[in-house]
Amino acid sequence: MADELVHYSVERGVATITLDSPHNRNALSAQLRRELRAHLTTAIEAPEVRVIVLDHTGPVFCSGMDLKESKGAGSTAQGVNEFPELLQLIWESPTPVVVKLAGPARAGGVGLVAAADIAVAAEDASFAFTEVRIGVVPAVISVTVLPRLLPRAAHELFLTGEKFDAAKAARIGLINSAVPADRLDDEVRRFTGMLALGAPQALAATKQMLRRHPVSMADDFAAMLDLSAKHFAGEEGQEGIASFLQKRPASWVPQD
């Protein structure tokens, strides 16, 4: 549709969701949030989709909440109230999510980056938590951002609002890699290609495992032993073992 702000396409098991609202720097307007949530849900529920890529048009990945919509609205009418559901949808997606940044991310846009499993940026992309400079708090995005960042970096960047480059973003754990702009597509394909080699159920279970908060080491070992044995004996595990021994691709690996 010509008036949509988020586009959806699927090719060889990779669903690409593209933010296309360059007139406002891909700000998280009500329409963009609604369409992004709908396309993410479609991709997550589609059995043929093995990897989700979050892309963008224009020079900016995402500038955060749409401040024009926020101006004058009461606390219960602020668009940020809908943002936790969107971040949780990405964070808890059983399908791996890769974010591709050819340009800057700010505030809520960085929250999207942190919610994804893999994030790749062009070297000239930049980041900033600008909330304190306009009198607000980066509270909602902290839920996805803080598990990624080194603690010292979190204090520095949340409190100062200072802009930082992609190389620093990689050093502090916000993104996986920073590459020259002309290598960005190749780097994204490198990750999507590797992710597509994983068994769908095993990937979903591994994502859930990575999010766990163990109560004690004994309880954690017990839970992880149960999870491991279940997947070794399961359909995917047995197929993976057989394909390894038979020196052939596993049944879930996309074929040309």
Side-chain angles (χ1 to χ4, degrees):
M1 294 175 59
D3 59 347
E4 71 176 5
L5 301 181
V6 185
H7 310 306
Y8 180 83
S9 64
V10 180
E11 183 177 355
R12 296 190 71 240
V14 177
T16 300
I17 300 174
T18 305
L19 308 183
D20 186 20
S21 185
H23 70 281
N24 66 352
R25 295 159 52 93
N26 287 321
L28 294 161
S29 64
Q31 180 182 347
L32 188 143
R33 294 194 307 271
R34 182 174 62 252
E35 293 177 7
L36 177 56
R37 183 170 58 249
H39 288 321
L40 282 167
T41 300
T42 297
I44 290 168
E45 294 177 351
E48 72 275 13
V49 171
R50 305 293 309 287
V51 185
I52 300 169
V53 174
L54 185 55
D55 198 353
H56 66 101
T57 66
V60 176
F61 169 71
C62 178
S63 58
M65 299 306 298
D66 189 329
L67 298 182
K68 289 184 179 179
E69 293 184 350
S70 299
K71 185 178 181 181
S75 62
T76 59
Q78 290 289 339
V80 73
N81 290 310
E82 300 176 2
F83 202 36
E85 179 188 1
L86 194 54
L87 293 177
Q88 189 171 354
L89 192 60
I90 297 172
W91 185 271
E92 296 184 350
S93 166
T95 307
V97 180
V98 178
V99 172
K100 171 187 171 186
L101 297 100
R106 297 288 185 270
V110 189
L112 294 176
V113 173
D117 301 289
I118 303 290
V120 179
E123 288 176 336
D124 55 359
S126 63
F127 305 81
F129 303 100
T130 53
E131 287 87 346
V132 293
R133 295 192 177 189
I134 61 168
V136 297
V137 178
V140 170
I141 67 168
S142 73
V143 178
T144 59
V145 172
L146 291 182
R148 307 295 191 197
L149 297 192
L150 297 172
R152 281 290 185 189
H155 280 250
E156 172 193 341
L157 298 169
F158 272 45
L159 294 173
T160 66
E162 181 183 23
K163 182 174 72 172
F164 55 102
D165 61 19
K168 181 166 184 173
R171 288 198 304 272
I172 63 176
L174 180 62
I175 65 174
N176 296 81
S177 60
V179 297
D182 61 359
R183 285 185 46 214
L184 184 58
D185 287 337
D186 290 340
E187 184 73 345
V188 171
R189 280 192 292 268
R190 185 175 75 86
F191 278 110
T192 58
M194 290 189 291
L195 290 167
L197 297 176
Q201 293 177 30
L203 286 169
T206 300
K207 283 198 60 172
Q208 187 175 29
M209 176 197 70
L210 289 167
R211 295 192 304 268
R212 77 188 189 280
H213 297 286
V215 177
S216 71
M217 181 176 286
D219 289 341
D220 198 28
F221 273 132
M224 291 304 98
L225 176 58
D226 180 68
L227 177 64
S228 181
K230 175 184 174 183
H231 280 269
F232 264 99
E235 182 179 345
E236 284 185 350
Q238 290 300 301
E239 163 62 10
I241 292 167
S243 66
F244 175 79
L245 295 174
Q246 296 166 16
K247 296 181 171 56
R248 60 171 175 80
S251 61
W252 56 75
V253 176
Q255 303 298 311
D256 292 329

